[in-house]
Amino acid sequence: MWDRITHLHPSFVQNSHNADIAADSYHNYKRDVEMLREMSLDTYRFSISWPRILPTGMPNDINPAGIAYYNNLINELLKYNITPMVTLYHWDLPIKLFELGGFANPLITDWFEDYARIVFQNFGDRVKHFITFNEPREVCVLSDVMSMSIGAIEHSKLDEINDIVNYLCAKNLVLAHAKAYYLYEREFKPTQGGQCGITISVPWFEPHTDTPEDELAAELKRQGEWGLYAHPIFSSEGGFPKELSERIAKKSAEQGYTRSRLPEFTEEEKAFIKGSADFFGVNHYTTYLVSASVNKLDNNPIPSLADDIDVGLVDPEGWPQSDIGWLTLAPNSLHNALTHLNTKYNSPVFYITENGWSSFPETDLNDVDRVNYYRASLENVLDILDDGINLKGYMAWSLMDNFEWMHGYTQCFGLYHVDFQDPARTRTPKKSAFVYKHIVNNRYVDPTYQPESMTMTIDPGH
């Protein structure tokens, strides 16, 4: 669907950029693995594209070139003892399935299960860490934005249906996740011996003050942003979060609906979804301060998730801000998020599957702000481990600059700079790559370390 939108609606992306070539890992995957070796990394998380494997989205039409590409990448990683961690869905829905309603269509659970089976069959003999979905909240919220642009739904009509689409998507997505999880557990885990989990975007939402009103506002924000997807899987009671469910039911009644706009799970569905993950993947970037009264918007669409939660966000003072705008270097952000999740969801196994800093395209590769961010985050990781939280891995976002969705190539997260003007898409390490390598090799964060040169080499054994 991103191919469609960047060509039919180029203004949707900054500078009308498209992802036809992007960083061109299709042809440069050996260089990508070499970069991992240069930094002494032992794990690579990447996604498999549903439409690259199944162009129509359906299992009767398998693209052998897509299978071959991922086999080549996986084999290259294993050649150098680098563990592949594979995400099945990172927002690139086959356009034919999007036209059938995408995640608002309950049949998506069957379509995703069929796709997952093909992935497990073809790659599960070598891949032992599978992630079903990357960032369900973003999938469901961006579905509306994509509908607006691809389906030509006008803004006014979109505002009328967006909360309904979001909530249908939330239910169908977690059911699709559970179907894929139990498919793996039933048909593949006994022989392949791997694990299957899900990755959820978890910003930390801190109460602006310690008043009960702000505490509740922050909790509602957490439940609306990621609890909708984490709670059915990881909580002991299952189903959608209690306070948010009650708020949506109350608002729905006031607005004249005969039932809550948040669809209910049956008791069988709750039991089916609950516990359907071997690990909790966490994408974490930043913290927001949440208020029950300050900076509340008076123009939220009614009905909508934003109106259902009805809270405000307060800009913090003194937190360094990235070029992307929404990302700040907040104190103890990662530690606060993991501590909360660990307590709320009874100590699951965690992987930090994304964490990083954005900037405008660098010219001198001296990305000091990114260095500061990673040092602060990895100090948080040490604190998390000291607290006994079951954190099994950390993955930076991102190995290299990439097509950053609606920002195109105007925002960069990479440890390696990619020259998007060069047909070869040359990759060059930034200062952050050298600092990250030093942390990985030495297993501690040295705030004084400075690379002696900007030449990256592969250490013996990597």
Side-chain angles (χ1 to χ4, degrees):
M1 63 186 184
W2 281 89
D3 298 326
R4 173 77 66 89
I5 200 170
T6 57
H7 285 273
L8 293 186
H9 305 272
S11 62
F12 183 73
V13 177
Q14 282 186 252
N15 295 353
S16 298
H17 291 157
N18 66 56
D20 290 0
I21 300 175
D24 199 14
S25 282
Y26 189 80
H27 295 103
N28 291 302
Y29 71 90
K30 288 188 177 181
R31 171 62 181 139
D32 295 347
V33 175
E34 183 180 57
M35 286 147 52
L36 295 164
R37 296 171 63 210
E38 288 174 349
M39 286 193 292
S40 305
L41 302 182
D42 59 9
T43 304
Y44 186 43
R45 175 180 175 244
F46 63 93
S47 61
I48 288 180
S49 170
W50 191 341
R52 178 171 278 172
I53 298 295
L54 303 177
T56 67
M58 297 297 183
N60 63 312
D61 182 16
I62 300 175
N63 174 22
I67 299 291
Y69 166 69
Y70 292 114
N71 274 328
N72 290 337
L73 173 57
I74 291 165
N75 291 339
E76 186 75 6
L77 291 166
L78 294 176
K79 179 180 177 181
Y80 297 104
N81 297 315
I82 299 171
T83 298
M85 176 175 272
V86 167
T87 302
L88 274 67
Y89 185 78
H90 196 139
W91 309 2
D92 48 353
L93 190 67
I95 194 65
K96 295 296 183 183
L97 302 188
F98 182 87
E99 291 169 346
L100 291 172
F103 285 90
N105 188 330
L107 291 177
I108 194 75
T109 63
D110 295 329
W111 302 335
F112 185 72
E113 184 182 33
D114 290 340
Y115 160 59
R117 178 178 282 107
I118 290 169
V119 172
F120 298 149
Q121 285 173 339
N122 282 275
F123 311 119
D125 60 327
R126 288 151 294 153
V127 175
K128 304 306 175 186
H129 297 79
F130 286 105
I131 296 166
T132 54
F133 289 99
N134 179 75
E135 299 187 343
R137 178 260 178 195
E138 284 71 10
V139 171
C140 293
V141 171
L142 283 177
S143 292
D144 295 334
V145 181
M146 301 297 279
S147 296
M148 177 182 69
S149 297
I150 298 179
I153 298 175
E154 297 176 354
H155 284 270
S156 59
K157 293 181 180 179
L158 177 67
D159 289 345
E160 294 172 7
I161 67 167
N162 65 0
D163 76 304
I164 298 173
V165 173
N166 288 346
Y167 297 153
L168 285 174
C169 176
K171 179 177 181 180
N172 293 336
L173 188 147
V174 295
L175 279 167
H177 156 79
K179 275 196 172 184
Y181 172 82
Y182 287 115
L183 167 69
Y184 184 77
E185 187 177 67
R186 181 177 65 250
E187 297 185 17
F188 298 95
K189 193 171 188 175
T191 56
Q192 296 180 357
Q195 300 177 341
C196 185
I198 188 169
T199 280
I200 298 174
S201 176
V202 184
W204 177 239
F205 294 105
E206 183 79 19
H208 180 227
T209 71
D210 59 3
T211 63
E213 291 80 10
D214 282 0
E215 292 280 358
L216 176 60
E219 178 58 23
L220 285 170
K221 187 68 173 171
R222 295 172 202 138
Q223 292 183 7
E225 291 278 335
W226 43 263
L228 276 173
Y229 316 98
H231 209 78
I233 300 168
F234 295 100
S235 71
S236 57
E237 64 270 16
F240 289 128
K242 179 177 182 291
E243 291 82 2
L244 182 66
S245 298
E246 292 173 348
R247 174 69 67 93
I248 296 170
K250 181 175 182 291
K251 287 261 189 176
S252 298
E254 292 170 352
Q255 293 158 358
Y257 289 85
T258 56
R259 64 182 64 87
S260 175
R261 289 176 279 103
L262 181 66
E264 295 183 357
F265 292 109
T266 65
E267 291 304 315
E268 291 78 11
E269 288 171 336
K270 285 183 183 179
F272 179 68
I273 297 167
K274 188 169 62 174
S276 60
D278 295 321
F279 59 84
F280 191 144
V282 175
N283 288 357
H284 178 83
Y285 290 91
T286 196
T287 289
Y288 299 92
L289 302 180
V290 185
S291 172
S293 57
V294 179
N295 291 348
K296 290 170 61 173
L297 300 178
D298 56 10
N299 60 346
N300 284 324
I302 300 175
S304 68
L305 174 60
D307 179 68
D308 287 338
I309 297 174
D310 194 25
V311 300
L313 299 180
V314 180
D315 291 332
E317 295 183 5
W319 294 0
Q321 188 172 39
S322 77
D323 293 331
I324 206 169
W326 54 263
L327 202 171
T328 60
L329 176 52
N332 299 314
S333 187
L334 187 55
H335 182 261
N336 290 338
L338 265 289
T339 299
H340 177 85
L341 293 176
N342 190 63
T343 301
K344 192 174 189 67
Y345 296 128
N346 196 29
S347 304
V349 172
F350 290 108
Y351 288 89
I352 296 168
T353 42
E354 287 183 26
N355 183 241
W357 186 261
S358 182
S359 63
F360 296 130
E362 290 90 356
T363 56
D364 63 1
L365 306 184
N366 186 29
D367 54 342
V368 175
D369 289 344
R370 185 171 291 108
V371 167
N372 292 337
Y373 182 90
Y374 277 119
R375 282 175 171 160
S377 290
L378 289 163
E379 287 285 6
N380 272 215
V381 167
L382 291 173
D383 292 338
I384 289 165
L385 295 173
D386 286 344
D387 289 345
I389 293 173
N390 199 3
L391 176 62
K392 294 293 188 181
Y394 173 96
M395 279 140 280
W397 183 271
S398 177
L399 175 61
M400 60 198 144
D401 297 337
N402 54 257
F403 177 78
E404 190 55 43
W405 308 113
M406 288 177 285
H407 296 283
Y409 304 106
T410 67
Q411 289 293 326
C412 300
F413 281 86
L415 293 160
Y416 278 69
H417 170 269
V418 176
D419 184 352
F420 292 106
Q421 305 306 312
D422 181 356
R425 297 303 195 266
T426 303
R427 288 102 154 94
T428 307
K430 305 174 188 178
K431 181 178 181 178
S432 58
F434 293 91
V435 172
Y436 191 55
K437 175 178 181 175
H438 185 267
I439 294 170
V440 167
N441 278 337
N442 293 280
R443 290 298 194 266
Y444 74 94
V445 181
D446 181 353
T448 66
Y449 170 75
Q450 298 293 330
E452 295 179 359
S453 73
M454 294 292 279
T455 301
M456 187 71 83
T457 58
I458 298 173
D459 294 337
H462 291 282

